[in-house]
PDB file of all heavy atoms in Angstrom:
ATOM      1  N   ARG A 186       3.435   2.481  -9.737  1.00 30.00           N
ATOM      2  CA  ARG A 186       3.356   1.495  -8.678  1.00 30.00           C
ATOM      3  C   ARG A 186       4.724   1.429  -8.021  1.00 30.00           C
ATOM      4  O   ARG A 186       5.758   1.468  -8.693  1.00 30.00           O
ATOM      5  CB  ARG A 186       2.982   0.105  -9.213  1.00 30.00           C
ATOM      6  CG  ARG A 186       1.552   0.025  -9.740  1.00 30.00           C
ATOM      7  CD  ARG A 186       0.544   0.172  -8.617  1.00 30.00           C
ATOM      8  NE  ARG A 186      -0.817  -0.008  -9.083  1.00 30.00           N
ATOM      9  CZ  ARG A 186      -1.580   0.977  -9.516  1.00 30.00           C
ATOM     10  NH1 ARG A 186      -1.081   2.189  -9.569  1.00 30.00           N
ATOM     11  NH2 ARG A 186      -2.811   0.744  -9.904  1.00 30.00           N
ATOM     12  N   PHE A 187       4.752   1.338  -6.720  1.00 31.00           N
ATOM     13  CA  PHE A 187       6.012   1.318  -5.996  1.00 31.00           C
ATOM     14  C   PHE A 187       6.243  -0.064  -5.427  1.00 31.00           C
ATOM     15  O   PHE A 187       5.321  -0.760  -5.030  1.00 31.00           O
ATOM     16  CB  PHE A 187       5.997   2.365  -4.880  1.00 31.00           C
ATOM     17  CG  PHE A 187       5.916   3.752  -5.424  1.00 31.00           C
ATOM     18  CD1 PHE A 187       4.691   4.364  -5.645  1.00 31.00           C
ATOM     19  CD2 PHE A 187       7.069   4.436  -5.776  1.00 31.00           C
ATOM     20  CE1 PHE A 187       4.616   5.633  -6.170  1.00 31.00           C
ATOM     21  CE2 PHE A 187       6.997   5.710  -6.296  1.00 31.00           C
ATOM     22  CZ  PHE A 187       5.776   6.313  -6.501  1.00 31.00           C
ATOM     23  N   ALA A 188       7.523  -0.473  -5.379  1.00 30.00           N
ATOM     24  CA  ALA A 188       7.877  -1.797  -4.869  1.00 30.00           C
ATOM     25  C   ALA A 188       7.455  -1.926  -3.417  1.00 30.00           C
ATOM     26  O   ALA A 188       7.575  -1.013  -2.625  1.00 30.00           O
ATOM     27  CB  ALA A 188       9.385  -2.011  -4.984  1.00 30.00           C
ATOM     28  N   THR A 189       6.964  -3.117  -3.058  1.00 31.00           N
ATOM     29  CA  THR A 189       6.543  -3.350  -1.683  1.00 31.00           C
ATOM     30  C   THR A 189       7.709  -3.788  -0.841  1.00 31.00           C
ATOM     31  O   THR A 189       8.743  -4.223  -1.326  1.00 31.00           O
ATOM     32  CB  THR A 189       5.455  -4.433  -1.639  1.00 31.00           C
ATOM     33  OG1 THR A 189       6.008  -5.641  -2.150  1.00 31.00           O
ATOM     34  CG2 THR A 189       4.243  -4.040  -2.450  1.00 31.00           C
ATOM     35  N   SER A 190       7.527  -3.668   0.476  1.00 32.00           N
ATOM     36  CA  SER A 190       8.552  -4.057   1.437  1.00 32.00           C
ATOM     37  C   SER A 190       8.248  -5.439   1.971  1.00 32.00           C
ATOM     38  O   SER A 190       7.117  -5.909   1.934  1.00 32.00           O
ATOM     39  CB  SER A 190       8.577  -3.056   2.590  1.00 32.00           C
ATOM     40  OG  SER A 190       9.288  -3.553   3.673  1.00 32.00           O
ATOM     41  N   ASN A 191       9.266  -6.123   2.485  1.00 30.00           N
ATOM     42  CA  ASN A 191       9.060  -7.414   3.129  1.00 30.00           C
ATOM     43  C   ASN A 191       8.703  -7.278   4.594  1.00 30.00           C
ATOM     44  O   ASN A 191       8.541  -8.258   5.295  1.00 30.00           O
ATOM     45  CB  ASN A 191      10.335  -8.263   3.014  1.00 30.00           C
ATOM     46  CG  ASN A 191      10.586  -8.687   1.599  1.00 30.00           C
ATOM     47  OD1 ASN A 191       9.647  -8.944   0.857  1.00 30.00           O
ATOM     48  ND2 ASN A 191      11.846  -8.757   1.211  1.00 30.00           N
ATOM     49  N   VAL A 192       8.597  -6.030   5.057  1.00 29.00           N
ATOM     50  CA  VAL A 192       8.280  -5.804   6.461  1.00 29.00           C
ATOM     51  C   VAL A 192       6.934  -6.420   6.802  1.00 29.00           C
ATOM     52  O   VAL A 192       5.969  -6.279   6.080  1.00 29.00           O
ATOM     53  CB  VAL A 192       8.237  -4.290   6.750  1.00 29.00           C
ATOM     54  CG1 VAL A 192       7.697  -4.022   8.140  1.00 29.00           C
ATOM     55  CG2 VAL A 192       9.634  -3.707   6.628  1.00 29.00           C
ATOM     56  N   ALA A 193       6.889  -7.110   7.917  1.00 29.00           N
ATOM     57  CA  ALA A 193       5.613  -7.610   8.425  1.00 29.00           C
ATOM     58  C   ALA A 193       4.930  -6.475   9.154  1.00 29.00           C
ATOM     59  O   ALA A 193       5.448  -5.926  10.097  1.00 29.00           O
ATOM     60  CB  ALA A 193       5.838  -8.783   9.368  1.00 29.00           C
ATOM     61  N   VAL A 194       3.764  -6.106   8.672  1.00 31.00           N
ATOM     62  CA  VAL A 194       3.089  -4.970   9.260  1.00 31.00           C
ATOM     63  C   VAL A 194       2.554  -5.345  10.628  1.00 31.00           C
ATOM     64  O   VAL A 194       1.898  -6.351  10.796  1.00 31.00           O
ATOM     65  CB  VAL A 194       1.949  -4.501   8.335  1.00 31.00           C
ATOM     66  CG1 VAL A 194       1.194  -3.351   8.962  1.00 31.00           C
ATOM     67  CG2 VAL A 194       2.521  -4.092   6.991  1.00 31.00           C
ATOM     68  N   GLY A 195       2.889  -4.507  11.631  1.00 32.00           N
ATOM     69  CA  GLY A 195       2.439  -4.752  12.992  1.00 32.00           C
ATOM     70  C   GLY A 195       0.969  -4.467  13.148  1.00 32.00           C
ATOM     71  O   GLY A 195       0.284  -3.998  12.249  1.00 32.00           O
ATOM     72  N   VAL A 196       0.474  -4.763  14.279  1.00 29.00           N
ATOM     73  CA  VAL A 196      -0.926  -4.578  14.564  1.00 29.00           C
ATOM     74  C   VAL A 196      -1.246  -3.095  14.655  1.00 29.00           C
ATOM     75  O   VAL A 196      -0.610  -2.362  15.374  1.00 29.00           O
ATOM     76  CB  VAL A 196      -1.312  -5.283  15.867  1.00 29.00           C
ATOM     77  CG1 VAL A 196      -2.734  -4.947  16.260  1.00 29.00           C
ATOM     78  CG2 VAL A 196      -1.165  -6.781  15.709  1.00 29.00           C
ATOM     79  N   LEU A 197      -2.311  -2.670  13.891  1.00 32.00           N
ATOM     80  CA  LEU A 197      -2.747  -1.292  13.932  1.00 32.00           C
ATOM     81  C   LEU A 197      -3.867  -1.188  14.954  1.00 32.00           C
ATOM     82  O   LEU A 197      -4.837  -1.924  14.934  1.00 32.00           O
ATOM     83  CB  LEU A 197      -3.259  -0.854  12.544  1.00 32.00           C
ATOM     84  CG  LEU A 197      -2.283  -1.093  11.412  1.00 32.00           C
ATOM     85  CD1 LEU A 197      -2.900  -0.653  10.088  1.00 32.00           C
ATOM     86  CD2 LEU A 197      -1.006  -0.328  11.653  1.00 32.00           C
TER      87      LEU A 197
END
Side-chain angles (χ1 to χ4, degrees):
R186 292 292 185 270
F187 295 90
T189 62
S190 165
N191 291 325
V192 171
V194 178
V196 173
L197 307 179

